[in-house]
């Protein structure tokens, strides 16, 4: 903690950055913090409660944050994949953001169970004590995915109809997503209206499936959409499924290398094309 | 105010009575797909009710303002456009086990729903509904009903208030509508047995919630109106994602959008859907201009509407202190904390 606070203070005092985006203790546990004054660095914490992906605050869509000036951001090994994604998609210039990588003990999410990365690679600074890699556990989400795959199409349809029936189209999933950075989302367009805005079965299905397909090869599996959903819809299942397909067909996994070409952004002669009629 | 005792066994029979009389009974039900969190749902027996649980994840407002509803249909014909009347579904309903912060909300919203235009579907459902509230023990540190002039035992918006006591519930009758509901099943209700225990339950709950946030003072509405450009508003929304989860779970956020959707080749329906002031498109003009161009101004709007605009127009704070927004916020924005901070600025 001390090394994080000292680093933040140095970056603010010498003017390298105008704001350090990190974590603080809020009324309901760890939450995002925006530290702009060196005397406030004591607010900064990092522990196993720090679940939020702060890379989402780097998106240029957040105009009120652009105004703050140059940023440093505290990032876990999984969060840096989103920073890499934003750099890869030319939303953020790599040298415009100072990445404070934190060694991560896991933050109690399902994705942590199968994660072996304890040290972010895409980082300008690295803080925190070394953490031993835990024994790999069993992902409940993957188990649920296998369960769904074993269902008949009708059973699967019923499962998703029930889950999506709770969607009220608040779009929290989109707004919190670090990779949802379109200025004007297709779901907000009205002329023509591609996706019905009403929270009925038709509108909800077309919204969630469109979002998931737009995330193919882009989703960094940070789990924020599912965490943000006020209705507890297991959106991660859909995204995980698409990620598995992308991995199998294109040998691509969410990466912390901003130079790695993505399936959608690169052309390869040996791309599998068996699904193109 | 008359009072009664309702044993747990008689509560089950009462629910059966109500259903036998053709009334829908809606109350908190724990949903496995939500990880066990409750939602207000129609029940077929008292066994399904989770009366001892916490605050349901979704507020009561959908009972009166559904997330989506058809206002009317339209069909193109040779003679022009034909409108198809779609009367609101307003079935006679008893809302049972409603937390006081939820029960108070629709009554606040009656002000705006009946202000410059009488909202027919809203009032049709309001009139068809009887509200049986359940006194709350106080949920957690995000509760602040006492700060906005309500309380965990408040009878506002309720026709009856139940308070858990030994063996069942102490029942306070609040309105003639509540009295009629009791009279129709009078055999189920006994003379009050535990009035003192109920009063003690109320006192303990109030004491617990009052510790969280001090009472919002008279000066708040005017201070906010006079400090529209205060620098505090550029700090409060930094961590806000503009996701609108707060509005979705809020019992008093009532903004809606109106859309026309095709149904088949020659017709369609006009619907109204929940909306939220936290997204950019909410105020985006056709010209491309947006009077609330960034999240700071959108977040300020949410605070202003609840604690200044509505109070100055209707004399009431548009917040029941349920704390759902703080619990649902993925960015850690905490309205109880903000109310506390603003109160300090107001002085």
């Amino acid at each position: 903690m001390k090394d994080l606070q000292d680093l933040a203070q140095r970056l603010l005092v010498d003017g390298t950055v105008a704001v350090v985006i990190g974590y603080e203790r809020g009324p309901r546990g760890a939450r995002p913090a925006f530290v702009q004054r060196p005397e406030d660095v004591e607010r900064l914490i990092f522990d196993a409660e720090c679940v939020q992906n702060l890379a989402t605050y780097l998106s240029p869509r957040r105009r009120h944050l652009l105004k703050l000036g140059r940023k440093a951001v505290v990032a876990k090994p999984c969060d840096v994949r989103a920073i890499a994604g934003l750099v890869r998609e030319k939303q953020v210039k790599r040298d415009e953001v100072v990445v404070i990588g934190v060694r991560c003990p896991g933050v109690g999410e399902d994705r942590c169970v199968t994660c072996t990365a304890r040290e972010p690679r895409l980082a300008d600074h690295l803080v925190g004590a070394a953490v031993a890699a835990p024994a790999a556990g069993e992902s409940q989400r993957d188990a649920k995915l296998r369960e769904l795959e074993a269902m008949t199409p009708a059973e699967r349809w019923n499962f998703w109809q029930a889950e999506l029936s709770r969607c009220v189209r608040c779009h929290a999933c989109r707004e919190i997503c670090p990779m949802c950075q379109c200025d004007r989302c297709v779901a907000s367009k009205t002329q023509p209206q591609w996706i019905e805005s009403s929270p009925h079965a038709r509108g909800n299905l077309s919204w969630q499936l469109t979002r998931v397909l737009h995330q193919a090869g882009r989703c960094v599996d940070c789990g924020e959409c599912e965490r943000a959903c006020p209705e507890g819809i297991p959106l991660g299942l859909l995204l995980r499924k698409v990620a598995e397909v992308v991995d199998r067909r294109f040998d691509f996994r969410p990466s912390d290398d901003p130079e790695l070409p993505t399936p959608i952004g690169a052309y390869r002669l040996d791309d599998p094309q068996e699904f193109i009629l | 105010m008359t009072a009664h005792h309702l044993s747990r066994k008689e509560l089950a029979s009462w629910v059966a009575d109500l259903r036998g009389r053709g009334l829908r009974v809606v109350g908190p039900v724990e949903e496995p797909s939500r990880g066990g969190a409750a939602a207000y749902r129609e029940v077929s027996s008292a066994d399904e009710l989770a009366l001892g649980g916490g605050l349901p994840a979704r507020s009561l407002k959908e009972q009166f303002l559904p997330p989506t509803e058809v206002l009317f249909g339209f069909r193109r014909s040779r003679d022009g456009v034909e409108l198809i009347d779609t009367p609101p579904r307003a079935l006679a309903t008893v809302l049972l086990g409603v937390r006081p912060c939820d029960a108070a909300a629709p009554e606040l919203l009656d002000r705006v729903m009946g202000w410059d235009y009488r909202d027919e579907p809203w009032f049709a459902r309001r009139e068809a509904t009887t509200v049986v509230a359940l006194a709350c023990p106080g949920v957690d540190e995000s509760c602040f009903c006492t700060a906005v002039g309500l309380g965990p035992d408040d009878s506002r918006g309720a026709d009856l208030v139940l308070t858990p006591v030994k063996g069942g519930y102490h029942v306070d009758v609040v309105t003639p509508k509540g009295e009629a509901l009791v009279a129709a099943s009078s055999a189920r209700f006994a003379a009050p047995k535990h009035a003192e225990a109920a009063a003690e339950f109320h006192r303990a709950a109030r004491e617990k919630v009052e510790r969280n946030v001090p009472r919002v003072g008279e000066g708040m509405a005017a201070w906010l109106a006079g400090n529209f450009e205060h620098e505090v508003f550029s700090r409060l929304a930094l961590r806000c994602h503009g996701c609108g989860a707060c509005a979705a779970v809020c019992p008093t956020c009532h903004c809606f959008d109106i859309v026309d959707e095709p149904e088949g080749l020659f017709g369609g329906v006009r619907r109204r859907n929940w909306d939220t002031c936290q997204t950019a498109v909410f105020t985006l003009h056709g010209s491309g201009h947006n009077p609330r161009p960034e999240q700071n101004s959108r977040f300020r709007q949410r605070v202003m509407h609840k604690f200044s605009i509505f109070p100055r127009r209707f004399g009431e704070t548009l917040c029941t202190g349920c704390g759902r927004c703080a619990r649902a916020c993925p960015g850690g924005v905490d309205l109880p904390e903000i109310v506390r901070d603003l109160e300090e600025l107001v002085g």
Side-chain angles (χ1 to χ4, degrees), chain B residues 207-229:
Chain B
E207 196 178 279
K208 180 177 169 191
V209 176
E210 275 167 356
R211 278 200 294 268
N212 293 342
V213 182
R215 180 81 194 250
V216 172
E218 299 266 313
M220 176 77 92
W223 187 90
L224 287 171
N227 286 277
F228 195 73
E229 301 286 353

Side-chain angles (χ1 to χ4, degrees), chain A:
Chain A
M1 209 94 84
K2 184 78 166 61
D3 54 351
L4 170 62
Q5 293 170 352
D6 287 348
L7 173 63
Q9 184 165 44
R10 211 173 67 226
L11 293 171
L12 289 168
V13 168
D14 69 17
T16 309
V17 300
V19 57
V20 176
I21 307 176
Y23 300 92
E24 69 178 13
R25 192 79 59 212
R28 300 190 64 87
R31 68 173 176 185
F34 294 76
V35 175
Q36 292 167 280
R37 301 182 308 176
E39 59 266 39
D40 291 337
V41 296
E42 282 175 14
R43 277 163 51 199
L44 290 170
I45 59 157
F46 183 76
D47 60 26
E49 259 190 36
C50 298
V51 59
Q52 298 90 345
N53 181 356
L54 304 179
T56 200
Y57 292 116
L58 300 176
S59 163
R61 195 156 55 87
R62 291 161 196 269
R63 296 204 172 78
H64 67 303
L65 299 181
L66 287 182
K67 283 198 299 198
L68 295 183
R70 205 171 138 89
K71 301 178 187 71
V73 65
V74 173
K76 303 186 288 292
C78 52
D79 302 335
V80 296
R81 294 198 297 259
I83 300 175
L86 288 166
V87 172
R88 191 184 295 127
E89 297 184 1
K90 310 281 188 283
Q91 299 299 307
V92 172
K93 288 201 177 102
R94 176 64 189 90
D95 56 4
E96 276 178 3
V97 56
V98 176
V99 180
I100 304 176
V102 281
R103 294 189 180 90
C104 177
V107 289
E109 295 286 293
D110 187 73
R111 68 178 186 280
C112 303
V113 175
T114 49
C115 170
T116 51
R118 287 293 170 263
E119 220 171 79
R121 289 190 298 176
L122 179 86
D124 299 299
H125 304 273
L126 201 53
V127 297
V131 191
E138 195 145 318
S139 158
Q140 286 181 14
R141 184 180 57 179
D142 288 355
K144 185 74 191 174
L145 209 52
R146 301 290 89 81
E147 193 187 306
L148 284 171
E149 283 166 350
M151 288 179 179
T152 64
E155 287 168 339
R156 210 152 47 227
W157 175 254
N158 290 339
F159 171 84
W160 283 111
Q161 285 293 300
E163 290 292 342
L164 295 179
S165 70
R166 297 203 302 278
C167 176
V168 290
R169 302 296 286 285
C170 66
H171 298 116
C173 46
R174 170 185 74 193
E175 297 301 324
I176 200 165
C177 174
M179 301 314 295
C180 269
Q181 13 100 342
C182 294
D183 240 350
R184 190 98 192 263
C185 175
V186 65
S188 304
K189 291 184 178 166
T190 51
Q191 289 182 333
Q193 182 163 49
W194 299 105
I195 297 173
E196 286 173 322
S197 60
S198 303
H200 47 39
R202 219 166 50 206
N204 291 352
L205 187 73
S206 66
W207 158 240
Q208 294 296 353
L209 290 190
T210 301
R211 178 169 177 276
V212 163
L213 290 176
H214 282 191
Q215 291 287 342
R218 301 180 59 246
C219 169
V220 297
D221 194 19
C222 66
E224 288 289 80
C225 49
E226 185 167 323
R227 189 179 65 81
C229 178
E231 294 293 329
I233 300 169
L235 300 169
L237 284 173
L238 290 170
L239 289 155
R240 180 71 180 157
K241 177 68 189 173
V242 171
E244 284 185 359
V245 172
V246 170
D247 186 7
R248 200 168 60 240
R249 284 195 186 276
F250 301 100
D251 191 26
F252 180 86
R253 291 158 296 284
S255 165
D256 53 12
D257 176 5
E259 304 301 325
L260 187 72
T262 55
I264 196 125
Y267 177 73
R268 278 182 7 207
L269 282 172
D270 60 345
D271 269 348
Q273 298 185 8
E274 73 273 22
F275 57 94
I276 297 175
L277 295 173

Side-chain angles (χ1 to χ4, degrees), chain B residues 41 66 73 77 89 99 102 149 158 207 230 240 291 314 321 324 334:
Chain B
R41 292 280 175 264
S77 66
R89 271 170 62 87
R99 291 298 182 186
D102 275 338
E207 196 178 279
H230 197 282
C240 172
F314 299 112
R324 280 193 184 87
D334 195 276

Side-chain angles (χ1 to χ4, degrees), chain B residues 230-242:
Chain B
H230 197 282
E231 61 90 29
V232 72
F233 294 111
S234 62
R235 281 190 277 123
L236 294 182
L238 288 175
R239 60 174 64 87
C240 172
H241 295 287

